Amino acid sequence: MAYVVNNKLECFLCFLFALSYVLGDSFVGGRRIETTKNKGFIKQKGTIKTIEDEDGDTIDCVDIYQQPAFDHPFLKNHIIQMKPNSIPSSPKENSYQAELFQNWHKNGQCPEGTVPIRRTQEDEYTRGVKWIPRRTQLNHSFYDISNHEHAIVSFGVGEIYGARASLNVWNPVVDDGEFSLAQIWVLAGPDEELNTIEAGWKVTSPENKTKLFTFWTSDGYQSTGCFNLECPGFVQVNKNFSLDSPIEPVSRYSAQQFDIGITIYKENGKWWFQVQDQVLGYWPGTIFNYLGSSAGIIEWGGEVYNAELGGHHTRTQMGSGHFGNEGYGKASYFRNIGYMDNSGKFIDVEAQTLKKYATRPSCYNVEVANNTNGGFGTHFYFGGPGYSTQCAN
C-alpha cells in the first residue's frame, strides 16, 4: 500500500524536517553534514570509538540510536529491530570470509551497541554529485542515456519481495570524476516517482578503491535518498560492516576470482540488506511509497558514468574491463540469481525469463549463460573496456 501523508501534523513535521536541513549545520548536494570536523573529515555525532585502517580511512563507532537514520521525520519514534524473524541462506560457495573482507577489522572492532560509519572527507559530497544514478526507467524497458551507461538483465513477475545474487568483485579503471559499479536494483512505481533500493560494489575516481555501497530513492532520484548513511533512511544494525569502506581481495584476469553475496528482501514491513550471511540493516517501508508494499521488477548488472572527457566516450571500465563473451575468469559475472515470491521463499530465476539490455553493446555488453551447473545457478557475464576502436563515441 502506498504511504500517503494525510494529515496536517505529518505535513508540518515534513516542513520542519526540510527547514532543519536548510538552517542546520550545513547543506551540500542535498545531504546534511555534521559540523564536527577533524583534519578535513566529517566526524559522526554519537561517536564512541574511532578506528584507523591501513588505507588512512577512519571508522567512527557510533551509538546505534544516534545514527543518521533517526533524523528522518517518519523514524523519530522508530524502534530498532536487530534482526529479521528469519534469515534466508546466502548463495553458496562464496569466496569471501565475511569477517575478513574489510581490512579495518585488523585494527579493532566496534563495541556492542554501536555501528561503524566511515568518516568522509568534506569534498566527497561535492565530488559525488555526478555519481548519483540519474537514470530514469521508462516502462521498465528503456533508459535515458544522459551520461550513464548500463549492461544489465531484468526480471519482473508480479509482486516481488526480494532479490539476491553473488557479485564477482573487480577493481576497474575509472577516469577522473567518474564511477563504475555492479549492483542489484529493486524497483517499484512509475518513472517520475520511482522507488528503488540498490546495493553492490562501486569504484569512484580519484579514490579508485572497490567499496561496498547502498543507495535508495523514493521519488525517481529527484530529492530523496542517498548513498549509504549519508542521509536519514537506512537503519544499520551490524557492528562488523562499514558501508563505503574498501573490500578486498578483488578478482584478477585469468587468476583467482572473488565474489560477494548480496541479498535484499522484505519482511515485517522492512527491506533487509544482507551481505554473505550477515544482516547489515534495513530500509523501513514507511520511507517509500510503492516499495512500501512490494517490488515490480529486479535488475542486476553494471553501470558507469560517462563524462565524455576529451570529447569521446569514457575509458572507464565496467566489470573486469572485458566483454561478457570472454566468460569466466576474464569477464565479470553475477551468479545464483534469485527472487523472493509472496511465500517468503527465494526462487532461482530461469535464464530464459531474463531480459538483457546494454546501452552501447560496442562499449559494454551482457551475455546470459545457459549452463546452470557448477554452483553458478542462473548467471551472466557483463562489462567492457569503454573507449576503443569499436567504442569511439
Side-chain angles (χ1 to χ4, degrees):
M1 180 181 296
Y3 187 93
V4 179
V5 177
N6 57 10
N7 60 60
K8 293 181 179 179
L9 176 60
E10 288 177 319
C11 289
F12 181 65
L13 287 173
C14 290
F15 170 75
L16 290 179
F17 176 61
L19 186 63
S20 69
Y21 262 44
V22 175
L23 300 180
D25 298 316
S26 62
F27 187 65
V28 179
R31 300 177 177 86
R32 183 182 181 187
I33 299 177
E34 296 295 329
T35 55
T36 306
K37 299 172 184 175
N38 182 23
K39 297 181 180 180
F41 288 75
I42 302 165
K43 184 178 181 179
Q44 297 291 330
K45 65 178 180 180
T47 297
I48 293 174
K49 176 182 177 180
T50 60
I51 301 170
E52 302 285 340
D53 73 11
E54 296 175 352
D55 296 321
D57 281 345
T58 299
I59 301 297
D60 289 327
C61 300
V62 177
D63 184 322
I64 193 170
Y65 285 99
Q66 294 192 53
Q67 62 180 294
F70 302 113
D71 288 333
H72 197 290
F74 299 153
L75 302 180
K76 291 299 184 182
N77 299 312
H78 183 79
I79 298 175
I80 296 176
Q81 184 177 342
M82 293 303 297
K83 61 181 181 179
N85 296 323
S86 61
I87 300 177
S89 59
S90 298
K92 297 180 180 180
E93 301 182 16
N94 289 312
S95 300
Y96 279 113
Q97 292 181 337
E99 70 275 17
L100 297 178
F101 85 102
Q102 291 189 328
N103 66 13
W104 63 269
H105 293 153
K106 298 175 184 177
N107 296 331
Q109 299 287 332
C110 282
E112 294 293 336
T114 68
V115 294
I117 302 179
R118 175 181 170 268
R119 194 179 298 182
T120 54
Q121 297 185 44
E122 295 175 67
D123 66 346
E124 285 184 40
Y125 290 97
T126 54
R127 285 192 286 110
V129 170
K130 66 179 63 174
W131 301 343
I132 297 175
R134 295 295 185 188
R135 182 200 59 180
T136 299
Q137 191 172 46
L138 304 176
N139 299 321
H140 304 310
S141 299
F142 302 98
Y143 302 81
D144 69 15
I145 55 173
S146 57
N147 299 104
H148 288 256
E149 307 276 359
H150 297 85
I152 60 105
V153 299
S154 64
F155 172 78
V157 57
E159 296 180 346
I160 298 172
Y161 295 87
R164 74 177 182 189
S166 286
L167 287 61
N168 193 204
V169 181
W170 292 79
N171 184 247
V173 174
V174 177
D175 276 350
D176 186 45
E178 298 181 345
F179 72 74
S180 180
L181 60 79
Q183 69 171 36
I184 299 173
W185 288 263
V186 177
L187 304 154
D191 305 333
E192 66 278 4
E193 300 177 80
L194 186 66
N195 289 197
T196 174
I197 292 173
E198 306 168 18
W201 59 260
K202 69 180 175 75
V203 178
T204 56
S205 176
E207 291 179 294
N208 300 313
K209 298 174 183 177
T210 306
K211 295 184 174 184
L212 178 71
F213 83 97
T214 64
F215 186 89
W216 70 274
T217 181
S218 62
D219 63 355
Y221 306 103
Q222 297 180 64
S223 61
T224 64
C226 60
F227 283 109
N228 308 313
L229 302 176
E230 291 177 7
C231 69
F234 181 75
V235 179
Q236 183 154 339
V237 299
N238 191 300
K239 71 182 186 68
N240 298 318
F241 286 78
S242 172
L243 295 170
D244 199 37
S245 287
I247 54 179
E248 58 181 25
V250 297
S251 303
R252 305 293 179 188
Y253 188 81
S254 292
Q256 187 174 3
Q257 301 298 294
F258 297 94
D259 44 296
I260 182 170
I262 297 289
T263 306
I264 301 168
Y265 61 100
K266 190 166 188 240
E267 183 198 84
N268 194 28
K270 304 173 179 66
W271 286 94
W272 292 89
F273 175 44
Q274 181 176 323
V275 178
Q276 306 294 75
D277 61 350
Q278 298 285 309
V279 173
L280 267 68
Y282 57 86
W283 294 268
T286 52
I287 69 174
F288 297 106
N289 309 23
Y290 300 93
L291 280 176
S293 53
S294 64
I297 194 168
I298 314 169
E299 296 171 352
W300 301 261
E303 177 182 351
V304 302
Y305 179 79
N306 173 21
E308 298 183 339
L309 300 175
H312 57 70
H313 192 282
T314 179
R315 290 185 173 88
T316 291
Q317 299 175 342
M318 181 187 290
S320 68
H322 293 262
F323 288 111
N325 51 15
E326 292 194 39
Y328 182 79
K330 299 177 181 179
S332 187
Y333 60 80
F334 279 64
R335 65 180 176 90
N336 294 116
I337 296 170
Y339 75 99
M340 180 180 282
D341 65 9
N342 58 10
S343 71
K345 296 181 179 179
F346 269 100
I347 300 172
D348 293 336
V349 176
E350 296 182 1
Q352 62 269 25
T353 64
L354 291 173
K355 296 180 181 179
K356 66 178 185 177
Y357 172 81
T359 311
R360 302 188 195 188
S362 61
C363 305
Y364 316 105
N365 73 353
V366 55
E367 297 291 336
V368 178
N370 294 319
N371 181 9
T372 59
N373 297 324
F376 265 46
T378 299
H379 61 288
F380 67 91
Y381 298 94
F382 73 100
Y387 181 66
S388 66
T389 54
Q390 65 187 86
C391 173
N393 49 45

